[in-house]
Amino acid sequence: MTTQPHLPAADPALVSRAAFGPDFVWGTATAAYQIEGAVDRDGRGPSIWDTFSHQRGKIKTGEHGDIACEFYDRYEDDLRLHKALGFPHFRFSIAWSRILPDGLGPQHGGRVNEAGLAFYDRLIDHCLSLGMTPWITLYHWDLPQALENLGGWPNRKIVDWFADYVDVCTKAFGPKVKHWIILNEPLASSVLGYFTGTHAPGRRSLRALLPSIHHTALAQAEGGRVVRRNVPDAHVGTTFSCSPVDPYTDSTRDRAAAKRVDALLNRLFIEPALGLGYPTDELSFLNGIFKKHAQPGDLEKLAFDFDFIGLQHYFRVVVEHTYFVPYIWSKDISPLSRGVQTITEMGWEVNPDSLYRVIQRFSQYDGIRKLYITESGAAFYDTVQQGHVHDPQRISYHQDYLQSVLRAKNDGFAVDGYFVWTFLDNFEWAEGYRPRFGLVYVDFRTQQRIVKDSGHWFQQLLTDPVDWSAHPKTH
């Protein structure tokens, strides 16, 4: 680790670990394809992101995740660095095709890759030996290519295929791991993967949209049931990308457009899980699920009583009505065109109050018992200067967003953790390696790690001693 530079202190008047209480969960979040590399090692089968990233024009920078951060080989040193930064919780995903190279479990004629199980077993053991708590995400978008060849998420059989995969993972790791996340942002993997084509597998299909949504929602609940069955003392959740949606003007048409976009972005997968069904009043096209794809009893199968919901928030959305976008009849008004002053490298508006609003919004649902911020972060133009990476904008971002979390917590909302996106600079999906979200800078040519000022800021926040007897326990 580099020598700690001079940087703005974690001002306890603005945000302090003590203010969140001793039970608040502090961690970082990562994903297998974005950091592991070793895509053709030790029996791992190809995933849809391996295929997609090697297709010309799919990744903006023309790059792929074959090597990424070499976490597969460097996890021991990386986890020691994670521990040194003060984070006691580490969220990572399992690569489905590293466990089941053909996608299928033994129940459907597939084979289990023992070398894949052994890797994650070593990873989990190393977390535990360092005193860090592992949080496993079962699906973070990297479907085995073999299953895509059989139809992918639009094929209803995938619900059973996913259940078999979850069964293998939970039987292998359940004795050691108690925190399980079923899906990461199902809206992205279904809509971006099968309708807009901007994410793997890159399909642009009206026909594939509804079945991929429905089967993903069914798998979300079925995966939860498998975890609960195999790991009785598990803490089971799932995660959603979520954004406040505001109308550009107060016109009736813009307000109606905002309601439709809100139903798509924020309600599409949480409401079926809560037994409320799909938001068909705002999105009438979803009625096609029950006309063409649902089977008897599906409405009940969509529901599962999760222990927690993970909220992943990056930006506010402002929309206006348009006749040129089918189904939602709306378009996004970019932060630049709205004159927003603080924008990330991704073009996203920095608006800390938005995080408070999504916490408030999801807390209003009956049936949600606990919330975690399972991703929050920002990409800025990071550069190395004399061995250091000065990123004051990222420090300000996390400080301000943590203030919103604390405000929500103090207002009585059950938000009990914050996972930074992300630990290491990584392969940012269709954006390639250019956007850097990490607390640790990665030189992708040499694989050198340099802790950014923001990483040192969190280190100070999380490792400074706290006299808990002087602080009353929070909600």
Side-chain angles (χ1 to χ4, degrees), residues 74-95:
R74 298 171 179 266
Y75 72 90
E76 291 184 341
D77 288 341
D78 284 340
L79 290 179
R80 280 192 287 267
L81 177 57
H82 190 274
K83 172 70 173 180
L85 294 183
F87 289 99
H89 297 263
F90 180 63
R91 178 186 166 204
F92 64 96
S93 75
I94 293 176

Side-chain angles (χ1 to χ4, degrees), residues 9-334:
D11 186 349
L14 296 175
V15 58
S16 69
R17 184 162 58 105
F20 289 86
D23 299 325
F24 193 79
V25 170
W26 297 94
T28 72
T30 63
Y33 186 72
Q34 294 182 269
I35 63 171
E36 282 183 2
V39 296
D40 57 356
R41 296 254 304 278
D42 299 333
R44 178 189 180 275
S47 78
I48 55 175
W49 273 96
D50 294 305
T51 303
F52 184 77
S53 65
H54 280 271
Q55 294 174 1
R56 186 174 180 179
K58 297 300 186 182
I59 309 301
K60 289 183 179 179
T61 57
E63 297 164 321
H64 51 69
D66 289 7
I67 298 173
C69 304
E70 292 186 346
F71 183 75
Y72 189 80
D73 295 308
R74 298 171 179 266
Y75 72 90
E76 291 184 341
D77 288 341
D78 284 340
L79 290 179
R80 280 192 287 267
L81 177 57
H82 190 274
K83 172 70 173 180
L85 294 183
F87 289 99
H89 297 263
F90 180 63
R91 178 186 166 204
F92 64 96
S93 75
I94 293 176
W96 187 338
S97 61
R98 203 178 286 285
I99 302 297
L100 303 175
D102 305 315
L104 302 173
Q107 299 94 322
H108 290 91
R111 57 192 172 89
V112 177
N113 179 30
E114 296 297 334
L117 290 178
F119 166 68
Y120 291 110
D121 203 47
R122 294 193 302 271
L123 172 58
I124 291 164
D125 283 347
H126 195 52
C127 279
L128 296 174
S129 71
L130 293 170
M132 295 192 303
T133 303
W135 292 56
I136 287 180
T137 305
L138 285 159
Y139 186 70
H140 201 130
W141 304 354
D142 50 353
L143 184 72
Q145 181 62 43
L147 296 186
E148 176 61 20
N149 295 344
L150 296 175
W153 285 102
N155 184 343
R156 188 182 176 95
K157 291 180 181 178
I158 201 167
V159 180
D160 292 331
W161 299 337
F162 181 69
D164 290 349
Y165 159 65
V166 176
D167 185 64
V168 171
C169 292
T170 49
K171 285 178 178 175
F173 309 127
K176 299 177 183 178
V177 178
K178 303 307 175 186
H179 301 279
W180 294 85
I181 292 169
I182 307 302
L183 302 179
N184 182 82
E185 298 185 1
L187 179 73
S189 56
S190 57
V191 176
L192 300 185
Y194 289 90
F195 180 59
T196 69
T198 52
H199 277 194
R203 289 207 224 171
R204 297 182 180 180
S205 170
L206 291 173
R207 182 175 297 179
L209 175 62
L210 292 181
S212 65
I213 289 172
H214 186 51
H215 301 154
T216 300
L218 286 170
Q220 175 178 257
E222 186 60 25
R225 286 187 280 271
V226 175
V227 176
R228 188 84 75 209
R229 181 177 69 238
N230 289 347
V231 191
D233 55 347
H235 187 221
V236 189
T238 197
T239 73
F240 304 112
S241 54
C242 42
S243 295
V245 182
D246 296 320
Y248 189 48
T249 73
D250 196 41
S251 70
T252 300
R253 291 196 304 178
D254 281 5
R255 283 188 278 114
K259 287 183 178 180
R260 289 190 294 273
V261 175
D262 173 69
L264 180 70
L265 297 186
N266 298 316
R267 299 171 54 195
L268 182 57
F269 288 96
I270 182 60
E271 293 190 356
L274 293 173
L276 302 174
Y278 295 109
T280 53
D281 287 348
E282 289 76 16
L283 300 175
S284 59
F285 74 92
L286 294 175
N287 285 308
I289 289 176
F290 292 99
K291 293 177 181 178
K292 297 181 179 180
H293 306 290
Q295 296 181 4
D298 273 7
L299 189 61
E300 292 74 24
K301 290 179 180 177
L302 290 168
F304 180 75
D305 184 21
F306 285 104
D307 296 311
F308 69 91
I309 296 298
L311 303 181
Q312 308 194 163
H313 170 68
Y314 290 96
F315 48 81
R316 179 173 73 116
V317 175
V318 177
V319 301
E320 69 177 357
H321 176 270
T322 181
Y323 287 112
F324 297 106
V325 181
Y327 298 127
I328 58 173
W329 313 113
S330 69
K331 69 174 183 178
D332 180 63
I333 306 299
S334 73

Side-chain angles (χ1 to χ4, degrees), residues 2-8 345 378-397 425 436 438-442 450-457:
T2 58
T3 304
Q4 181 165 330
H6 176 72
L7 68 152
E345 184 184 353
F380 295 107
Y381 295 96
D382 299 328
T383 58
V384 180
Q385 299 176 353
Q386 297 181 332
H388 298 293
V389 179
H390 304 297
D391 58 341
Q393 289 176 299
R394 187 172 288 106
I395 294 174
S396 295
Y397 173 96
D425 291 339
R436 293 178 176 271
L439 300 179
V440 176
Y441 183 94
V442 177
I450 301 173
V451 178
K452 302 177 189 178
D453 286 1
S454 57
H456 289 299
W457 183 86

Side-chain angles (χ1 to χ4, degrees), residues 430-459:
E431 302 292 325
Y433 292 100
R434 180 184 54 80
R436 293 178 176 271
F437 282 82
L439 300 179
V440 176
Y441 183 94
V442 177
D443 183 326
F444 293 105
R445 291 173 296 179
T446 65
Q447 292 296 332
Q448 180 187 11
R449 273 65 163 149
I450 301 173
V451 178
K452 302 177 189 178
D453 286 1
S454 57
H456 289 299
W457 183 86
F458 269 104
Q459 183 181 43

